[in-house]
């Protein structure tokens, strides 16, 4: 039986049809202008599926399937009854989950963290998301918000973050933070410049790696995990951050041991695959 997973992003929405653990089909479309239009898109994709899982970039109430605080996709999502509305349109059960938890579950069951029990997850994109798995289960929290590593303070008094705080990991290791440190372009262009030897670009990624090392090192000390999976669009430049990242982790080695830094294995569809795993009727 097929389960549909949908990963609603700020700009693009990805979907994956999962049969057992096999990805049968997937795709990417621009995110529609609001929640109602997104539900109609989801319903149009939900032909001959037994259930649906939908991942949202924000806080959700998993019990009621309601969006609580979802600021980035277009339209007014807060309070929108996602599961009720999509069930009404499709007639099949619907589960709603946070997108970082979906990413983590996909990588834990089918990707880079397969077989591991205690793992941190960091998703480097426009924002920096995160999740925690302990004893083989991804932890959730009351608003499905447990594990938001992007908003650990790595530099008190540092750049202002969208969350209201200053000096969060996200302000250094998210795409816009890297671009700001360099001065212009996109994160991918800054990575190209760094690989071509541009000193400012190299520095921007060193700073991102340092910030990531501080946050991952502290989180590993707090949680006692031995591995971290790093994914998201900006993680393609993980090689440019490694030196500074490992220097921070090495400083904490007596406390955290050798934290294994694993690149995510499932690529851009991880969130949609994870949403489908949460959409399974048993899960
Ligand atoms: Zn923040």
């Amino acid at each position: 039986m097929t389960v549909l997973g949908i990963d609603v992003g700020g700009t693009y929405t990805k979907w994956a049809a999962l049969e057992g653990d096999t990805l049968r089909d997937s795709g990417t479309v621009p995110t529609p202008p609001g929640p109602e239009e997104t539900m109609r898109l989801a319903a149009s994709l939900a032909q001959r599926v037994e259930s649906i899982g939908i991942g949202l970039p924000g806080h959700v109430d998993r019990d009621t399937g309601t969006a609580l605080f979802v600021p980035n996709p277009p339209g007014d999502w807060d309070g929108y009854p996602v599961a009720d509305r999509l069930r009404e349109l499709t007639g099949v059960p619907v589960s709603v989950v946070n997108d970082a938890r979906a990413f983590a579950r996909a990588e834990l069951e089918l990707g880079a963290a397969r077989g591991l029990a205690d793992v941190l997850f960091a998703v480097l994109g426009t924002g920096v998301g995160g999740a925690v798995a302990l004893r083989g289960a991804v932890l959730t929290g009351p608003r499905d918000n447990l594990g938001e590593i992007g908003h650990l303070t790595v530099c008190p008094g540092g750049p202002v973050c969208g969350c209201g705080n200053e000096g969060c990991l996200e302000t250094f290791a998210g795409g816009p933070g890297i671009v700001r440190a360099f001065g212009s372009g996109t994160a991918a262009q800054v990575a190209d410049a760094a690989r071509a030897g541009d000193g400012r670009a190299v520095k921007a990624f060193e700073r991102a790696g340092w910030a990531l090392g501080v946050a991952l090192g502290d989180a590993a000390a707090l949680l006692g995990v031995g591995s971290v999976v790093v994914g998201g669009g900006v993680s393609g430049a993980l090689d440019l951050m490694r030196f500074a990242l490992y220097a921070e982790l090495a400083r904490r080695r007596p406390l955290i041991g050798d934290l294994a830094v694993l690149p995510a294995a499932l690529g851009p569809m991880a969130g949609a695959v994870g949403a489908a795993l949460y959409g399974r009727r048993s899960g």
Side-chain angles (χ1 to χ4, degrees):
M1 290 294 277
T2 303
V3 179
L4 177 67
I6 298 167
D7 179 19
V8 180
T11 311
Y12 291 102
T13 290
K14 298 177 178 114
W15 59 272
L18 209 62
E19 209 176 302
D21 284 346
T22 305
L23 183 61
R24 286 292 178 212
D25 202 1
S26 66
T28 303
V29 291
T31 296
E36 176 64 23
E37 294 87 343
T38 305
M39 295 306 105
R40 292 189 178 280
L41 166 73
S44 75
L45 294 167
Q47 308 299 322
R48 293 182 296 280
V49 303
E50 76 168 325
S51 57
I52 301 170
I54 180 162
L56 296 175
H59 296 177
V60 303
D61 183 333
R62 269 202 217 169
D63 293 338
T64 62
T66 307
L68 297 176
F69 175 61
V70 183
N72 287 329
D76 183 10
W77 284 82
D78 299 356
Y80 189 87
V82 177
D84 283 352
R85 181 65 182 130
L86 193 48
R87 196 160 41 227
E88 197 175 287
L89 290 171
T90 61
V92 300
V94 177
S95 304
V96 180
V97 65
N98 167 274
D99 62 350
R101 252 50 67 207
F103 165 87
R105 183 155 171 195
E107 290 289 341
L108 185 66
E109 293 190 17
L110 305 172
R114 206 170 175 165
L116 299 175
D118 304 316
V119 191
L120 270 173
F121 298 86
V123 190
L124 312 182
T126 303
V128 174
V132 177
L134 293 178
R135 299 185 176 180
V138 179
L139 306 184
T140 169
R143 295 162 65 90
D144 205 14
N145 57 350
L146 192 150
E148 292 298 351
I149 195 169
H151 300 282
L152 291 186
T153 307
V154 297
C155 179
V160 175
C161 182
C163 75
N165 187 24
E166 293 174 343
C168 295
L169 168 62
E170 182 170 301
T171 66
F172 295 98
I178 290 166
V179 168
R180 197 168 46 240
F182 177 66
S184 64
T186 64
Q189 286 165 342
V190 183
D192 288 344
R195 292 205 174 88
D198 183 294
R200 236 178 126 137
V202 168
K203 201 103 195 119
F205 278 101
E206 278 177 6
R207 217 172 64 124
W210 157 79
L212 193 58
V214 170
L216 291 176
D218 286 0
L222 179 69
L223 297 164
V225 303
S227 312
V228 53
V229 173
V230 182
V234 176
S235 69
L238 194 57
D239 58 310
L240 297 168
M241 306 181 208
R242 270 190 190 270
F243 189 79
L245 165 60
Y246 283 166
E248 281 305 315
L249 297 180
R251 197 195 305 282
R252 296 164 174 79
R253 187 166 289 133
L255 190 63
I256 65 174
D258 285 311
L259 186 71
V261 180
L262 311 168
L266 297 178
M269 287 301 157
V273 169
L277 294 174
Y278 278 106
R280 282 178 177 170
R281 297 181 77 171
S282 55

